[in-house]
Amino acid sequence: MNLSSVDIAVVIAYGIGIFVLAQWVSREKAGHKTDSNDYFLASKTLPWWAIGASLIAANISAEQIVGMSGSGYVIGLAIASYEWMAALTLLIVGKYFLPIFLANQIYTMPQFLEQRFGPTIRTVMAIFWLALYIFVNLTSILWLGSIAVTSVAGINQDLALLGLGSFALLYQLRGGLKAVALTDIVQVTLLVLGGLVISYLSLSKIGGDAGVLGGFAELTRRAPDHFDMILSPDSPHYKQLPGLAVLIGGMWIANLSYWGFNQYIIQRALAAKNLQEAQRGVVFAGFLKLLMPVIIVLPGIAAVVLEPDLSKPDEAYPAMMSLLPVGLLGLVFAALIAAIIASTASKINSIATIFTLDIYAKFKDAKSLAAHDTDDSAQQAHLVLVGRIAATIAIILAMLTARPLLGSLDQAFQYIQEFSGFVTPGITVIFLLGLFWRGATEAGALTGAVASVVLSFVFWFPAEMGGVEALNAVPFMNRMMIVFFASLALAVAVSLVRPAQIEGNLIRMDGVSFATTAGFNIAGVAIIAILLALYATWW
């Protein structure tokens, strides 16, 4: 596929426009110098529309568009459970998690762990998250993004990877979270419109004179095995999406960890003007999640009919882009780049936030630097500089390691889920205990976190290398559920055996209310009703 001069002009116009917009929203009032609160939390002034759009922009990137579309090509609509169940998870996050985080002025997840448990777990988890974000998440965003860019534009993949990483870094380097969040509404609008255009043209080509609706009916007739939401045990893909586990099993562990306790996701809500604004933002994101399978998974399923002989599933989405006419291809290509850039910039900013506030300030014996009410502008400027340096180093590491880590994989999206599943049970355990059980201790939390990794490794370790074949056969979602309950039991047991002083818990519940507005409740009921209809239709 080759881009015409018109397409290239559209892409260049997007790049210039979004870069200029990011610098414009990053500007400060005369006489005000950017401090850590401005750079890492957008001065805690984000409105609901910016929060909701930024949640989606941070989440929907190359690994979602290219990777999930590839999984749609192989597995079918069942992969959409990651999107649809996330909408329900966001309601839980808004109602039960955000009131506690915002009332206690939490700005990073490791900070919450220290205030709830102690300093050791803050450091351990901060280092872990940095490694995960750089070597799993950031590498996958760049790698899958470069695949898409190479497929469409025909340029060298390494050059595409370098260009994406460099642009994302420069785009947010000046303004931090403010530059990312306040431009994400543009990115998400372009993403949604671009995805809808691809789905429309794909179905129209399948349907011919029957149009889009006829094309969808024909697609369900010609690929009926791709329209089962709940896979049966005899499905070849059952191990990846094991039946009811997507509704009542391990997917809940993954979703709660990702949407509730993941710094680069929850950071947007922590930067809200107030709790009500944050809750409106997560509801907005919930509705957008319901739409995502239409613009991501559906093109992958359509490729089963239109491009049945692809060498790799991850080529499905780029293949559907080849249907686009001149000019429109440039617009949709810009939408794909927008998703990659937005998610990469979000991840970079969160890496900088954790390193600067949870590691650098702490080990330099400069905790006072992280106080948002400090008057020392020189110290605040130093923190911002450290954050920018950390962001630069992180993206360089990701660009250097993306090919060695991901170059040989067919379905990178499943790789991300598989290895993230090693740690998500433990993360979910320690945060749920920290939020809702005052008896949980730091020793118990650390035990739960370590047990999650060790037990997951035992399940995963290949039989041909000395592992247990029966454990290898357990679907990874079921594995996450089993490991969650085992880690939970160990964390509770250790907490009971080694109780801590209640004064060590600095998280206060005074004044925390889980009551939500009528608007939130109505929107929540609407989301649940839509989910029931979707699963009833495609069960």
Side-chain angles (χ1 to χ4, degrees), residues 76 79 82 108 126 148 172 202-203 225 253 273 285 334 362 367 434 458 505 537:
I79 199 70
Y82 279 106
T108 73
Q172 63 84 52
S202 300
L203 294 177
D225 58 327
I253 308 304
K273 293 178 180 179
K362 181 178 178 181
K367 292 182 180 179
V458 170
N505 180 5
T537 302

Side-chain angles (χ1 to χ4, degrees), residues 32 55 88 112 124 132 144 151 153 175 199 227 232 264 296 315 410 468 471 475 510 526:
H32 177 74
L55 283 169
L88 187 56
F112 169 82
V124 170
L132 180 71
L144 286 170
S151 299
S199 294
F227 285 90
S232 60
Y264 95 107
I296 297 174
E315 295 174 356
D410 286 334
V468 180
L471 295 180
D510 305 336

Side-chain angles (χ1 to χ4, degrees), residues 36-102:
S36 60
N37 188 44
D38 300 325
Y39 194 75
F40 300 118
L41 284 178
S43 307
K44 291 186 71 69
T45 58
L46 290 185
W48 66 268
W49 52 267
I51 294 168
S54 195
L55 283 169
I56 298 303
N59 166 240
I60 301 296
S61 181
E63 80 267 28
Q64 297 291 106
I65 297 175
V66 178
M68 187 171 277
S69 185
S71 292
Y73 183 83
V74 175
I75 299 171
L77 192 61
I79 199 70
S81 283
Y82 279 106
E83 301 300 302
W84 287 341
M85 294 306 293
L88 187 56
T89 306
L90 281 164
L91 296 179
I92 295 172
V93 171
K95 185 172 179 64
Y96 296 108
F97 299 171
L98 289 182
I100 300 175
F101 289 150
L102 292 177

Side-chain angles (χ1 to χ4, degrees), residues 115-116 437-440 499-508:
Q115 290 187 201
R116 175 59 184 85
W437 185 43
R438 296 187 66 81
Q501 295 295 322
I502 198 68
E503 291 78 9
N505 180 5
L506 301 180
I507 298 298
R508 293 292 173 253

